[in-house]
């Protein structure tokens, strides 16, 4: 990795990219390819920090070929479904290959409009407030701090007094600490489903999966055709049509698990996607549920001493509860004052679009599309870079 740049440099004003994950690196590389100086600012000590923290079993649910970032394919030796450690290796190589300017160990805490002018003739620009009292002048800012930023735990009554072990899925690495124990996993997204299978295969004595809303389950690949390609093809189709296709496909490819406590969902697949619920890709959940190695139960309502009270009124006493209950974007302190977030704290625009009241403030990596997050971040990167390069030529 090249020597870290001097962050106090004021001429010329670079584009600052906040976040050294795949989205931030992709934007920086696309900008560099167009002759636009970009500086990546990463608060941890290395790129790909969130991927380094994920559980050991994790693999990309999208194919290697459709997950590469601009300007560097993923190596064939990584296989079709790339493992977590290889994703980290790829991101490290990506930064080195593109000779990106990356500064680690610096956190940007707040972004404000610069009132003195950016010096490039294209508006006021931005001032970034960062650790160590730094004030960084930017012609534009790209925020790529990640979809899974801040672990979110529901405000369950009695949780503070629970005498068992309660942890968010962000703290889960592998099943070894849970061998021989009774574990309840809360949440039926991809993370919860995969952790439940990991525990069942890794020696947990009992694994239950708390379900509030039954998920859509899809095969990761059918006869060599990855679910991701279907996701790409249907994105422009009417919602009702995709819902109908999804129901037909599920009847053919996915067994009815109602007898095991996991019924088919009532709402259509794409309708749920638009609400933010991505289908669960089967990496062992169907087999584990049918073998009763993972037992679905009702949603968690409260904690009671050593027990957990479920929505159906039953009470269970697991040794540990792992909450796969999602993440918040954590953007309020950074840009909450700029009126660029919706009621759920998510950016109101993404990709090459910017808010009218915040020109040249871009966001990438804050959607979770069925076509694949890496793929969409790669597309976002090219669009953002094209927009900024075009603006630079206009100013010149």
């Amino acid at each position: 990795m090249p020597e870290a740049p001097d962050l106090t440099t004021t001429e010329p004003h670079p584009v600052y990219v906040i976040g050294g994950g795949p989205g931030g690196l992709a934007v920086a590389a696309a900008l560099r390819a167009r002759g636009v100086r970009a500086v990546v600012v990463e608060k941890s000590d290395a790129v790909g920090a969130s991927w380094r923290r994920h559980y050991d079993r994790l693999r990309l649910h999208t194919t290697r070929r459709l997950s590469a970032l601009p300007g560097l394919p993923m190596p064939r030796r990584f296989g079709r479904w790339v493992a977590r450690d290889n994703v980290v290796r790829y991101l490290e190589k990506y930064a080195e290959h593109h000779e990106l300017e990356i500064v680690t160990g610096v956190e940007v805490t707040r972004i404000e409009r610069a009132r003195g002018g950016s010096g490039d003739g294209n508006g006021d620009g931005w001032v970034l407030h960062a650790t160590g009292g730094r004030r960084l002048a930017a012609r534009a800012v790209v925020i790529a701090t990640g979809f899974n930023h801040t672990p979110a735990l529901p405000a369950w009554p009695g949780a503070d007094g629970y005498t068992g072990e309660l942890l968010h899925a962000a703290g889960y690495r592998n099943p070894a600490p849970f061998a021989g124990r009774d574990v309840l996993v809360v949440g039926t997204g991809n993370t919860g489903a995969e952790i439940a299978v990991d525990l069942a295969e890794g020696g947990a004595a009992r694994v239950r999966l708390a379900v509030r809303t039954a998920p859509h389950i899809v095969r990761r690949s059918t006869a060599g055709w990855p679910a991701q390609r279907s996701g790409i093809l249907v994105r422009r189709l009417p919602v009702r049509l995709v819902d109908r296709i999804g129901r037909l496909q599920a009847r053919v490819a996915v067994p009815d698990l109602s007898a095991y406590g996991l019924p088919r969902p009532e709402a259509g697949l794409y309708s749920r996607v638009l609400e933010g619920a991505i289908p669960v890709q089967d990496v062992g959940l169907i087999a584990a549920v049918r073998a009763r190695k993972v037992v679905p139960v009702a949603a968690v309502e409260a904690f009671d001493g050593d027990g957990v009270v479920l929505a159906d009124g039953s009470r269970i006493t697991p040794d540990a509860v792992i909450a796969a209950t999602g993440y918040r974007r954590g953007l309020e302190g950074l840009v909450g004052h700029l009126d660029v977030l919706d009621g759920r704290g998510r950016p109101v625009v993404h990709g090459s679009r910017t808010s009218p009241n915040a020109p040249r403030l871009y966001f990438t990596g804050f959607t979770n599309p069925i076509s694949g997050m890496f793929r969409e971040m790669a597309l976002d990167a090219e669009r953002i870079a094209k927009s900024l390069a075009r603006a630079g030529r206009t100013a010149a």
Side-chain angles (χ1 to χ4, degrees):
M1 188 176 297
E3 183 178 351
D6 179 4
L7 281 180
T8 62
T9 297
T10 57
E11 294 293 342
H13 291 296
V15 174
Y16 277 103
V17 180
I18 305 174
L25 298 180
V27 170
L31 285 168
R32 190 178 191 281
R34 288 170 172 80
V36 178
R37 184 184 174 213
V39 178
V40 179
V41 184
E42 166 58 48
K43 70 176 181 179
S44 71
D45 61 358
V47 300
S50 64
W51 274 90
R52 296 174 191 274
R53 294 191 298 266
H54 284 316
Y55 50 94
D56 297 347
R57 179 192 180 100
L58 181 64
R59 290 178 177 269
L60 281 177
H61 291 165
T62 54
T63 67
R64 169 180 53 81
R65 287 186 176 182
L66 294 175
S67 300
L69 302 178
L72 186 67
M74 287 189 173
R76 289 177 58 88
R77 68 177 182 276
F78 286 177
R80 194 180 198 195
W81 312 104
V82 183
R84 181 204 66 178
D85 288 349
N86 283 334
V87 171
V88 172
R89 292 186 182 99
Y90 173 71
L91 296 178
E92 291 173 338
K93 180 64 177 178
Y94 191 83
E96 178 185 347
H97 175 79
H98 288 291
E99 299 181 335
L100 302 181
E101 293 188 53
I102 301 173
V103 177
T104 59
V106 174
E107 181 178 7
V108 177
T109 55
R110 185 177 175 88
I111 300 172
E112 295 178 342
R113 292 297 300 269
R115 299 306 176 188
S118 66
D120 61 5
N122 290 299
D124 290 337
W126 297 96
V127 172
L128 284 60
H129 298 265
T131 50
R134 298 176 176 88
R135 289 169 58 88
L136 315 175
R139 56 174 289 198
V141 179
V142 182
I143 299 177
T145 49
F147 190 85
N148 297 335
H149 186 273
T150 305
L153 274 175
W156 286 308
D160 290 344
Y162 177 57
T163 57
E165 181 181 0
L166 171 61
L167 72 154
H168 190 274
Y172 177 86
R173 295 294 174 271
N174 57 63
F178 303 95
R181 302 173 69 188
D182 183 340
V183 186
L184 172 68
V185 179
V186 184
T188 49
N190 278 291
T191 297
E194 193 158 354
I195 287 176
V197 173
D198 199 32
L199 289 163
E201 295 177 353
R206 186 177 192 179
V207 180
R208 285 174 283 202
L209 180 63
V211 181
R212 183 169 298 279
T213 304
H216 284 274
I217 302 174
V218 298
R219 299 289 188 182
R220 186 168 63 175
S221 180
T222 303
W225 179 265
Q228 181 188 8
R229 287 200 178 274
S230 296
I232 294 170
L233 291 175
V234 304
R235 287 195 71 187
R236 305 294 182 184
L237 296 179
V239 174
R240 289 184 179 179
L241 176 59
V242 180
D243 285 348
R244 191 176 301 119
I245 293 171
R247 289 191 184 96
L248 291 172
Q249 186 178 30
R251 291 194 186 102
V252 173
V254 179
D256 186 358
L257 300 175
S258 299
Y260 301 90
L262 199 61
R264 296 191 188 278
E266 296 180 3
L269 184 150
Y270 205 30
S271 295
R272 291 291 308 281
V273 168
L274 296 180
E275 296 171 355
I278 298 300
V280 171
Q281 291 203 13
D282 178 41
V283 290
L285 180 64
I286 292 173
V289 168
R290 295 180 79 178
R292 300 195 185 279
K293 294 181 178 179
V294 172
V295 178
V297 296
V300 172
E301 289 294 309
F303 287 76
D304 177 26
D306 65 347
V308 179
V309 180
L310 304 180
D312 61 4
S314 62
R315 184 179 186 276
I316 60 176
T317 55
D319 300 314
V321 176
I322 300 174
T325 47
Y327 294 79
R328 296 189 299 273
R329 311 295 82 80
L331 294 169
E332 288 79 5
L334 190 64
V335 296
H337 55 290
L338 298 175
D339 193 27
V340 293
L341 305 179
D342 65 16
R344 296 186 296 172
R346 301 188 180 194
V348 296
V349 295
H350 70 276
S352 61
R353 294 184 297 123
T354 62
S355 175
N357 59 306
R360 296 204 183 176
L361 178 63
Y362 300 86
F363 296 87
T364 184
F366 294 97
T367 60
N368 193 13
I370 58 175
S371 52
M373 186 177 286
F374 269 57
R375 178 181 181 273
E376 294 303 319
M377 286 189 293
L379 294 173
D380 274 356
E382 297 287 5
R383 292 166 184 154
I384 292 171
K386 183 178 180 180
S387 174
L388 282 168
R390 183 171 58 245
R393 288 193 300 269
T394 301

